[in-house]
Amino acid sequence: MTQAATTAFIDRSHWGRIEVTGADRLRFLHNQSTNDFQQLSPGQGCDTVFVTSTARTLDLASACVGEESVSLMVSPGMATELINWMDRYIFFADQVTLRDQTDNTFALTLLGPDADGLLTQLGVPLPEAAPCSHIQTNLPLAPETALQIVRGTGLAIPGYTLIGPKAQGETLQKWLVERDIACLTAPQWEALRIRQGRPMPGQELTDKDNPLEAGLWQAVSFDKGCYIGQETITRLNTYQGVKKQLWGFKLGQVVTAPVPISLDGTQVGTLTSVTTDDDGIWGLGYLRTKAGGAGLTVTIENTTAHVVELPFTSRGYLDS
């Protein structure tokens, strides 16, 4: 499976899930990340980026606003780090509580053209069409089990992420396998996310990168008020100062990332991730904006690579 031509599922239970409660939860998240939480109502959601005071990336999170809480799905291994980071900004009068729910819940992502039909077979309703919209319902396979259905896959591929009590995760997986729905392996997911352009902490999201460089413009609000890192991000947008961009690369042979990217003998970027699938060898990395973009041919170690577009990324003023 490369670009989700068939329907499949992936167990993402190892991804972090943080529950944010308290009367100040929306204001708090609004002030701590890049997107506009104060415009969201229960049942809605958004992608948002947690950044440092200098707008360096920590993680990309998917947020779902509920009646009494906000749930955040974050990258594997990042829940504790983000909770500790956010906790530093909770002051005495703030009514905000952070709980790590990763070990208490499962998360299965269903992606591909038949995802809607499978949920209909399962007997659950579908959320609204907007990204990150979600509903709470009961799992018909275990009627006493509460199930959250979120529109989104973490990629630019249609589908849903289903979250519920950990004990019922195997029941739902068994139901999918009985209907011949393939379970993606970790390497298959990695190939998908690299070809899609989904950045990950430690690879494309580091203390050297900002959300605009990472192609995460869709997760940034330029109309909201102050938040951590806002001054730097606003300046980059206003003065068109994005000096590098995340691109895809089709390589002639396998290399080991990270590795420099060269053009006419000069380093113009860094390859951050590499994968192989049935269609070839693919990479993800940063390229200087002035060097060019899709269609460019560059050198990476002893092979050539062609720069390709990424479905997941957006580029703001760079697209115009």
Side-chain angles (χ1 to χ4, degrees):
M1 181 176 184
T2 55
Q3 295 288 353
T6 59
T7 302
F9 75 93
I10 177 75
D11 185 354
R12 295 173 69 198
S13 298
H14 61 297
W15 288 59
R17 287 172 295 288
I18 302 170
E19 181 184 51
V20 186
T21 57
D24 296 322
R25 60 190 180 277
L26 289 180
R27 178 189 58 79
F28 177 77
L29 291 170
H30 187 90
N31 293 339
Q32 306 306 318
S33 67
T34 59
N35 220 330
D36 189 343
F37 279 82
Q38 294 190 354
Q39 298 299 315
L40 297 176
S41 300
Q44 297 179 327
C46 67
D47 284 341
T48 194
V49 188
F50 289 93
V51 297
T52 68
S53 59
T54 55
R56 302 304 184 180
T57 54
L58 297 172
D59 196 14
L60 170 65
S62 295
C64 294
V65 175
E67 294 286 349
E68 298 181 350
S69 66
V70 179
S71 59
L72 302 173
M73 189 161 183
V74 303
S75 297
M78 289 299 296
T80 298
E81 180 175 336
L82 286 174
I83 287 174
N84 291 339
W85 183 81
M86 286 188 282
D87 189 62
R88 295 185 301 169
Y89 298 98
I90 299 177
F91 300 106
F92 178 76
D94 291 336
Q95 298 182 50
V96 177
T97 302
L98 307 171
R99 295 185 180 88
D100 187 346
Q101 298 287 11
T102 308
D103 292 339
N104 302 326
T105 56
F106 73 84
L108 293 182
T109 292
L110 183 63
L111 63 170
D114 296 330
D116 284 20
L118 278 168
L119 290 189
T120 299
Q121 287 185 45
L122 185 60
V124 296
L126 303 181
E128 297 294 329
C132 293
S133 61
H134 57 99
I135 56 172
Q136 292 285 138
T137 186
N138 291 330
L139 178 64
L141 303 175
E144 301 303 317
T145 300
L147 182 69
Q148 183 182 43
I149 304 174
V150 184
R151 186 177 290 274
T153 62
L155 301 169
I157 297 174
Y160 303 89
T161 296
L162 282 60
I163 301 171
K166 188 171 184 178
Q168 299 304 328
E170 290 186 8
T171 300
L172 185 54
Q173 286 199 48
K174 181 180 178 182
W175 184 88
L176 291 167
V177 170
E178 287 173 349
R179 281 149 184 81
D180 297 322
I181 306 302
C183 179
L184 296 182
T185 64
Q188 287 173 322
W189 173 267
E190 179 71 355
L192 272 179
R193 81 100 191 158
I194 289 174
R195 292 194 63 178
Q196 287 270 306
R198 161 77 188 229
M200 294 294 284
Q203 292 166 278
E204 295 79 34
L205 302 177
T206 74
D207 60 5
K208 297 179 181 179
D209 315 305
N210 66 62
L212 307 189
E213 294 169 341
L216 299 176
W217 295 72
Q218 74 277 11
V220 177
S221 170
F222 294 99
D223 299 322
K224 62 184 264 186
C226 293
Y227 61 93
I228 294 175
Q230 181 256 350
E231 290 185 5
T232 299
I233 291 174
T234 298
R235 188 165 58 248
L236 288 170
N237 180 51
T238 300
Y239 297 104
Q240 301 189 359
V242 177
K243 295 182 178 179
K244 66 179 182 180
Q245 299 177 60
L246 193 65
W247 290 98
F249 299 84
K250 186 169 186 181
L251 293 90
Q253 64 185 44
V254 176
V255 300
T256 300
V259 61
I261 301 168
S262 299
L263 179 65
D264 298 328
T266 300
Q267 183 174 345
V268 292
T270 302
L271 195 74
T272 54
S273 299
V274 179
T275 188
T276 60
D277 62 20
D278 293 341
D279 294 332
I281 304 164
W282 305 91
L284 192 59
Y286 286 102
L287 191 65
R288 289 182 190 169
T289 299
K290 290 183 178 180
L296 189 67
T297 299
V298 295
T299 301
I300 303 177
E301 286 194 338
N302 298 318
T303 189
T304 57
H306 302 290
V307 183
V308 297
E309 291 282 3
L310 296 168
F312 189 80
T313 56
S314 55
R315 303 184 187 277
Y317 68 79
L318 296 160
D319 281 331
S320 59

